[in-house]
Amino acid sequence: MHFTGRTWRPPYEANSCIIQLTSGCTYGKCRFCNLYKDEPFRLSPLSEFEEDLAEIKRYQPGVRRIFVTGGNPFALSYEKLKPYVLTVRDYLIKCQTIAMFASIRDIKNKEVWQLNSWREGTNFGDADIY
């Protein structure tokens, strides 16, 4: 598994499989948080993400929920997130939920149809998700 910097899983994700999509935080200026201090935000290469999914599939093929780490991976655009989400589906066919941190700005920057497609698992370009 590829992990860079600090990795933190919230207690409510204790039973989730964890995988890194980003490291660092896009904001990084919260006075109450030093988790990603001095760690620049970066997207994991799709090839690394795919290798990690293959490893998860090898050891936990029936995983139903994954938690994507990083300060706020949902800050990525819909188009940048799309190949990662579709790759999860390719490897973990029983996965029903992908959870990740997001700020209100990340959600606000998405179109309503994009948010609906994540929730419903439909209208995701050329393929459906979960």
Side-chain angles (χ1 to χ4, degrees), residues 83-98:
Y84 291 85
V85 172
L86 292 175
T87 303
V88 170
R89 183 193 59 189
D90 291 343
Y91 281 85
L92 306 173
I93 61 173
K94 293 186 178 186
C95 185
Q96 298 173 343
T97 306
I98 301 172

Side-chain angles (χ1 to χ4, degrees), residues 113-125:
W113 70 267
Q114 294 170 333
L115 296 171
N116 284 335
S117 73
W118 293 119
R119 182 177 50 87
E120 297 169 8
T122 59
N123 300 321
F124 198 65

Side-chain angles (χ1 to χ4, degrees), residues 91-109:
Y91 281 85
L92 306 173
I93 61 173
K94 293 186 178 186
C95 185
Q96 298 173 343
T97 306
I98 301 172
M100 65 186 80
F101 290 126
S103 76
I104 193 66
R105 287 181 304 275
D106 306 332
I107 297 166
K108 187 179 174 185
N109 289 334

